Amino acid sequence: MALSESGVLSGAINCTHPGKEEESKDQANTPTARVLTLEEQERLNGERALVSDFKLMKLEKEAQKNWDLFYKRNTTNFFKDRHWTTREFEELKACREFESQKLVLLEAGCGVGNCIFPLLEDDLNIFVYACDFSPRAVEFVRQNPLYCPDRCCAFQCDLTKDDLMENVPESSVDVITLIFVLSAVHPDKMKLVLENISRVLKPGGFILFRDYGLYDHAMLRFKPVNKLGENFYVRQDGTRSYFFSKEFLAELFEKTGFKCVSNDYVLRETVNKKEGLCVPRVFLQSKFMKPES
């Protein structure tokens, strides 16, 4: 069973990537983190990073290759289209001064286009820049029948070191989405990503964020041998995942010059009726604004 980005369970529980949905109970947004059971507290308190410095460097060096292999194995069939984006982030509509105004959006970490193509279908007055770490993922975006160069520009980019302004004009983007992307970046390099995307965002523009939250079920399923650092783990395929606290995220964005608009945990129970399982999922959903001045 895989664990979906929207917080649903399918198949047998593991610590791999989010996958296909089955069923979920109503979500709740809350400013406080999920409360752990005593058993969970004891297990986390007893954990320590067991990965060698050599493996840490190897994982960082091979990060792009591991994500490219992920898309080679799964092609476009792994993630579900994100039709919930406009519902969860009203800024995709509200930031316009008038209804027919063209909105310019950057999806940082677009994968194979599960977010951008529902948006392009839903909103005719939108232009999307889309970039991803994986060249293979970008090629899948370009091969999609809905891809149109007049409405979308997809390109490969390592957000920790490649200058976005080589493909996106400075201060030209209204909204940037960071959806299940920053968790795949080493914590020491997350600030570099935010500095990079800030340069192409207009003053007054928004960053819309959704990612794994502290004490999510996937985090608690990792074994000590998979722990790379505090709240940072590696999957069997070599891809990595960080689990955010709202305090860490707020400090990270504020140090990069952004103003916090909202920053809450999304708590959800996911159910697999066939297996008789119900597990807690935790995500962090946030909005940050680039100051006008």
Side-chain angles (χ1 to χ4, degrees), residues 136-160:
R136 194 180 301 271
V138 172
E139 190 56 34
F140 280 129
V141 171
R142 291 174 176 162
Q143 291 172 359
N144 190 299
L146 294 174
Y147 183 79
C148 172
D150 291 337
R151 301 194 62 208
C152 184
C153 173
F155 58 96
Q156 192 276 331
C157 180
D158 179 348
L159 291 167
T160 67

Side-chain angles (χ1 to χ4, degrees), residues 31-72:
T32 56
R34 176 184 166 239
V35 178
L36 294 175
T37 65
L38 182 60
E39 180 184 354
E40 289 169 338
Q41 288 177 358
E42 290 176 348
R43 179 152 47 84
L44 283 180
N45 291 338
E47 280 188 357
R48 60 186 181 90
L50 298 177
V51 177
S52 67
D53 290 341
F54 172 78
K55 185 172 181 180
L56 286 171
M57 289 188 292
K58 187 172 186 288
L59 286 169
E60 181 66 24
K61 183 178 179 181
E62 296 180 350
Q64 184 184 71
K65 182 184 79 172
N66 289 331
W67 276 108
D68 222 39
L69 288 172
F70 170 83
Y71 286 111
K72 181 179 181 180

Side-chain angles (χ1 to χ4, degrees), residues 104-107 127-131 153 155 157 159 163-174 176 196-197 199-201:
V104 178
L105 182 140
L106 166 66
E107 185 175 14
F127 183 89
V128 178
Y129 291 101
C131 67
C153 173
F155 58 96
C157 180
L159 291 167
D163 189 350
L164 273 170
M165 290 195 296
E166 292 180 3
N167 290 279
V168 185
E170 184 176 7
S171 302
S172 65
V173 175
D174 298 296
I176 295 174
N196 198 359
I197 63 178
R199 288 191 283 270
V200 300
L201 185 64

Side-chain angles (χ1 to χ4, degrees), residues 47-290:
E47 280 188 357
R48 60 186 181 90
L50 298 177
V51 177
S52 67
D53 290 341
F54 172 78
K55 185 172 181 180
L56 286 171
M57 289 188 292
K58 187 172 186 288
L59 286 169
E60 181 66 24
K61 183 178 179 181
E62 296 180 350
Q64 184 184 71
K65 182 184 79 172
N66 289 331
W67 276 108
D68 222 39
L69 288 172
F70 170 83
Y71 286 111
K72 181 179 181 180
R73 287 190 300 271
N74 297 287
T75 65
T76 60
N77 300 318
F78 197 82
F79 299 111
K80 292 180 69 70
D81 282 349
R82 296 166 181 161
H83 293 283
W84 47 265
T85 313
T86 50
R87 181 185 72 240
E88 295 291 338
F89 296 116
E90 68 274 10
E91 279 76 11
L92 292 172
K93 299 283 188 183
C95 68
R96 290 179 166 96
E97 293 181 16
F98 48 92
E99 189 173 346
S100 61
Q101 178 183 347
K102 183 175 285 292
L103 189 72
V104 178
L105 182 140
L106 166 66
E107 185 175 14
C110 63
V112 297
N114 298 99
C115 179
I116 63 172
F117 291 120
L119 284 175
L120 288 168
E121 282 189 293
D122 184 58
D123 193 336
L124 297 179
N125 292 315
I126 191 169
F127 183 89
V128 178
Y129 291 101
C131 67
D132 199 88
F133 197 22
S134 163
R136 194 180 301 271
V138 172
E139 190 56 34
F140 280 129
V141 171
R142 291 174 176 162
Q143 291 172 359
N144 190 299
L146 294 174
Y147 183 79
C148 172
D150 291 337
R151 301 194 62 208
C152 184
C153 173
F155 58 96
Q156 192 276 331
C157 180
D158 179 348
L159 291 167
T160 67
K161 63 180 183 181
D162 297 336
D163 189 350
L164 273 170
M165 290 195 296
E166 292 180 3
N167 290 279
V168 185
E170 184 176 7
S171 302
S172 65
V173 175
D174 298 296
V175 178
I176 295 174
T177 58
L178 273 176
I179 301 178
F180 295 99
V181 172
L182 206 58
S183 56
V185 177
H186 193 289
D188 292 347
K189 294 186 175 182
M190 290 179 182
K191 189 170 185 289
L192 296 174
V193 173
L194 298 188
E195 290 170 346
N196 198 359
I197 63 178
S198 177
R199 288 191 283 270
V200 300
L201 185 64
K202 292 179 180 177
F206 289 96
I207 293 181
L208 309 180
F209 177 94
R210 186 178 174 106
D211 217 320
Y212 300 109
L214 193 65
Y215 308 144
D216 178 58
H217 178 76
M219 173 181 173
L220 300 177
R221 294 287 297 182
F222 279 111
K223 297 178 180 179
V225 71
N226 298 103
K227 187 168 184 176
L228 304 177
E230 185 177 5
N231 305 331
F232 194 39
Y233 297 83
V234 61
R235 303 182 182 93
Q236 290 182 348
D237 63 3
T239 61
R240 299 166 299 176
S241 185
Y242 185 86
F243 296 84
F244 292 92
S245 71
K246 59 177 292 183
E247 294 79 13
F248 175 89
L249 190 72
E251 183 179 5
L252 178 66
F253 271 86
E254 286 164 6
K255 281 184 176 179
T256 321
F258 290 96
K259 178 182 178 182
C260 181
V261 178
S262 63
N263 187 26
D264 290 303
Y265 294 103
V266 177
L267 305 184
R268 173 178 285 181
E269 288 186 338
T270 62
V271 180
N272 183 303
K273 290 183 178 180
K274 183 178 179 180
E275 301 291 335
L277 296 171
C278 179
V279 299
R281 299 307 311 274
V282 183
F283 307 106
L284 198 58
Q285 185 160 304
S286 313
K287 303 171 188 176
F288 298 92
M289 185 180 76
K290 182 177 178 179

